[in-house]
Amino acid sequence: MNPKKEFNLSYLFRADDNYRIGNSVGFELDSEEAIAAEIQNPWVHVLNKESIQTSRYISFSTAIVIKGGGGSQKFTKKNKIFKVSWEALQQLETDGKIRIYTPEDVAEIISQSSKKKIRKKANDVKAAMEKNGEILIEGQIPGKVIVWAK
């Protein structure tokens, strides 16, 4: 059973002060751009990504605002938040266009590392993702499935 299919979600949200409706988001899976991105690991993306760095992953949140300070709104200064339907994302994953990573998925990937130092980060990364309601997407989301949340 795929736990991602069990989420009771309608949309995932992303704060992006520079986004323009109609544009795609992210790099195509395994493209030259994805391979050349500065961040190649989900744990580095979650714990250490700076806004100027490129990453093969895109962060989304399960909510605009989450009690305790998480959610998409935490990451915007211009209050620009867009959303993508969960159904569209699942279809893109089924079509092999994207990969969806839940906090549990990322913790599992980290726990399989050959380096103990990295394996020790699994719980911290999972906790950080859960606090923000964060889901990572690897791949490119076409602009036709993206709409403004507000």
Side-chain angles (χ1 to χ4, degrees):
M1 186 180 325
N2 184 345
K4 290 179 245 185
K5 306 294 183 201
E6 295 175 16
F7 282 163
N8 186 18
L9 297 174
S10 296
Y11 292 95
L12 288 185
F13 302 90
R14 177 172 171 78
D16 190 333
D17 289 338
N18 299 311
Y19 180 71
R20 291 205 158 114
I21 283 293
N23 291 346
S24 297
V25 176
F27 302 124
E28 288 184 27
L29 284 177
D30 303 318
S31 66
E32 288 182 23
E33 294 88 354
I35 293 166
E38 294 166 284
I39 296 176
Q40 294 290 319
N41 302 307
W43 58 90
V44 174
H45 179 96
V46 171
L47 296 179
N48 299 317
K49 184 181 183 301
E50 300 290 328
S51 62
I52 60 170
Q53 292 178 297
T54 58
S55 175
R56 72 184 305 133
Y57 303 96
I58 313 158
S59 292
F60 280 82
S61 181
T62 56
I64 293 176
V65 178
I66 295 176
K67 188 176 180 179
S72 292
Q73 203 161 34
K74 175 180 175 181
F75 298 99
T76 179
K77 292 180 180 157
K78 298 178 183 176
N79 206 27
K80 290 177 75 175
I81 299 172
F82 63 81
K83 63 185 179 180
V84 180
S85 80
W86 181 241
E87 186 177 304
L89 290 170
Q90 288 180 308
Q91 186 61 53
L92 287 167
E93 185 175 49
T94 298
D95 294 345
K97 301 289 184 186
I98 66 169
R99 295 181 191 116
I100 301 171
Y101 299 97
T102 65
E104 293 78 14
D105 294 332
V106 174
E108 179 64 25
I109 291 166
I110 295 168
S111 69
Q112 293 178 12
S113 174
S114 61
K115 298 180 181 176
K116 184 178 180 181
K117 183 178 177 180
I118 292 173
R119 287 193 311 267
K120 290 176 101 177
K121 295 179 187 234
N123 288 334
D124 291 341
V125 173
K126 183 179 177 187
M129 289 180 73
E130 288 174 341
K131 177 183 177 193
N132 291 318
E134 187 172 10
I135 304 286
L136 295 182
I137 306 290
E138 182 182 9
Q140 189 173 69
I141 300 169
K144 67 183 179 185
V145 300
I146 300 171
V147 296
W148 289 116
K150 297 181 175 191

